Amino acid sequence: MMKKLTLIILAILILALTACKSDSTTPALGSGSVYFPVYQITAPADGKILGLILEKGDRIGQEQPLFAVDDQQLAAEIKEAATDAARTEAEIKAMQNGQSRADNTAAVAAAQQQYEQAAAQEAKMASLYKQGAIARRQYEAASAAKAAAHAALSAAQSAGQPVKASPETIAEKQKLLEEQQQKYHALLQKQLALEEESPCTGIVTEKYLNAGDTASAGQEVLAIRDLENCSAVIKISAQAAQNLKVGQSITARAGSINKNFNGSIAKIEGTDVTVNIDNTSLDLKEGMEVSVTVN
């Protein structure tokens, strides 16, 4: 009998210790109201707004193109750089091969085919860009590829019967090609800085400018509210805050819909703890109350 009683007491103690341990590893932080971040999208530079087809209330996916700032001189420089590189590359091939007329005829036919394909691709991308389905840089890349293919075709058509060049001459030409390609990629990076993509999957809450309007650098163009990520601020004691750290995983429970959501601690400021919550299910709404525990 005594042995049985002892076993029961031990079992109770184990359960009590387990409960205590569970409480210490998953402390309840408290409750807070859900809110969704709003991103103010600004113009990256002075210039005319291009490709902005969104309206207030429209849904937008993360990294989808929003708009670009026009820079016609930069676009022309990109096409010129692509053309120069393509012409130099075609010259190197001719210098390496020492083409005969028959070879040149075949080269012209191949270059013609590549140009026609590039032209068709450029037309397709122009249509998609007009619909707002792709970013401007994708259209500009297709336009530059068309210009490069045309340069290669022109080089092939003008080639007569070149004599095979010396390795030194070819090496000099290859060095020039590398410099031209570096210039082309540097210009593409400059153009990339003039484009804006959506930072989130969200909804347009404000539209301050339209396509064709001239913006100043830093001027607000759109406001987009995130739909898949939200936050809540929890009030806790200063002592409890000392046991927390940014990045810790949490669970947020929305009692009104009886559902749990994953998240993490984003910021700790005194007795205010901000948590970020994954809302890819889109079940959480603005103002919903959630209770938060540390995992």
Side-chain angles (χ1 to χ4, degrees):
M1 180 68 179
M2 181 60 71
K3 184 177 180 181
K4 185 176 181 181
L5 181 59
T6 301
L7 290 174
I8 293 173
I9 293 172
L10 285 173
I12 293 172
L13 286 172
I14 290 171
L15 288 173
L17 288 171
T18 302
C20 290
K21 184 177 180 181
S22 176
D23 289 343
S24 65
T25 56
T26 59
L29 289 184
S31 299
S33 297
V34 167
Y35 68 90
F36 289 80
V38 176
Y39 297 92
Q40 298 295 331
I41 312 300
T42 60
D46 297 343
K48 184 183 293 185
I49 299 295
L50 299 177
L52 178 56
I53 64 171
L54 292 168
E55 298 295 339
K56 187 175 179 179
D58 285 352
R59 289 279 297 271
I60 183 75
Q62 186 171 8
E63 297 183 354
Q64 280 191 250
L66 297 174
F67 62 87
V69 173
D70 189 26
D71 189 330
Q72 293 183 353
Q73 181 178 350
L74 179 59
E77 289 176 1
I78 289 173
K79 288 183 180 179
E80 183 180 0
T83 299
D84 290 344
R87 185 179 294 113
T88 300
E89 189 171 12
E91 290 173 356
I92 290 173
K93 288 180 179 178
M95 293 166 69
Q96 289 173 329
N97 297 332
Q99 294 167 316
S100 65
R101 280 198 184 278
D103 292 336
N104 191 52
T105 301
V108 169
Q112 179 67 42
Q113 184 179 18
Q114 289 178 349
Y115 172 71
E116 290 173 357
Q117 292 173 344
Q121 179 69 5
E122 191 264 353
K124 176 182 176 181
M125 299 302 272
S127 176
L128 290 172
Y129 175 62
K130 187 175 181 180
Q131 300 169 34
I134 61 171
R136 184 182 64 165
R137 66 177 177 276
Q138 294 171 281
Y139 161 67
E140 292 289 359
S143 182
K146 176 185 174 182
H150 185 267
L153 174 60
S154 298
Q157 289 172 334
S158 62
Q161 293 179 325
V163 177
K164 193 168 185 178
S166 67
E168 292 77 16
T169 303
I170 294 175
E172 288 180 6
K173 211 67 167 173
Q174 287 175 330
K175 183 178 179 180
L176 174 62
L177 175 60
E178 290 175 3
E179 293 172 352
Q180 291 172 332
Q181 290 174 334
Q182 288 174 358
K183 179 181 178 181
Y184 172 66
H185 290 298
L187 290 170
L188 286 181
Q189 288 302 311
K190 288 179 66 176
Q191 188 180 65
L192 180 61
L194 297 178
E195 301 182 10
E196 290 295 328
E197 297 178 341
S198 180
C200 64
T201 295
I203 187 168
V204 177
T205 57
E206 295 292 342
K207 183 179 183 182
Y208 307 107
L209 295 176
N210 295 299
D213 290 346
T214 299
S216 301
Q219 185 175 356
E220 293 180 347
V221 180
L222 292 171
I224 299 177
R225 180 165 62 87
D226 202 332
L227 293 176
E228 293 188 347
N229 300 281
C230 56
S231 301
V233 177
I234 312 299
K235 292 281 188 181
I236 63 173
S237 67
Q239 182 178 2
Q242 294 177 358
N243 299 321
L244 301 175
K245 60 182 179 180
V246 172
Q248 277 184 283
S249 60
I250 59 96
T251 297
R253 181 167 183 77
S256 60
I257 57 175
N258 195 31
K259 188 170 181 178
N260 292 339
F261 299 84
N262 296 323
S264 62
I265 295 176
K267 186 166 48 178
I268 303 171
E269 293 181 326
T271 59
D272 288 344
V273 177
T274 301
V275 297
N276 289 341
I277 306 169
D278 180 4
N279 186 45
T280 49
S281 66
L282 304 181
D283 290 325
L284 288 173
K285 308 299 179 186
E286 187 84 22
M288 273 188 178
E289 192 79 6
V290 291
S291 58
V292 177
T293 56
V294 177
N295 294 342

